[in-house]
Amino acid sequence: MPAVTAMKHKKGDFLVDYEEKVFEDVKAKPGEKALVTFHTVAFEGSIGFVNLLQATRLKRKGFDTSILLGFQDYCTPPLNTPGQLKVAP
């Protein structure tokens, strides 16, 4: 069995460096918008959860955020009609 030779972490230690910013902190400029699309059955499976987390993050960054639900084979969003869905027969 291999042995662990690293020192144990102490209370208050961090496993990652939270002070180092690898990417710049992007904030929305006034009037900037973001669109998050669901191309799945909404609220089923992990991708729906990831999309909701992304929308929440964009909202916190200051973007005017919208979510578009586009269900595959069930309905398609019509062009030039925001907020409405065309339900397929």
Side-chain angles (χ1 to χ4, degrees), residues 19-75:
E19 300 300 320
E20 179 189 359
K21 289 279 188 180
V22 178
F23 301 104
E24 65 177 286
D25 189 18
V26 176
K27 297 282 186 184
K29 296 177 184 139
E32 276 193 299
K33 297 180 179 184
L35 176 65
V36 178
T37 60
F38 279 64
H39 193 65
T40 181
V41 177
F43 313 115
E44 288 187 11
S46 61
I47 192 63
F49 182 65
V50 170
N51 286 340
L52 288 175
L53 288 176
Q54 185 66 18
T56 302
R57 183 172 184 267
L58 288 166
K59 191 78 173 163
R60 288 179 181 160
K61 296 287 184 177
F63 289 90
D64 180 14
T65 307
S66 299
I67 296 176
L68 174 66
L69 301 176
F71 304 105
Q72 186 176 13
D73 298 330
Y74 296 111
C75 60

Side-chain angles (χ1 to χ4, degrees), residues 9-10 12-18:
H9 291 285
K10 295 180 229 114
D13 285 349
F14 292 103
L15 298 177
V16 295
D17 184 3
Y18 289 104

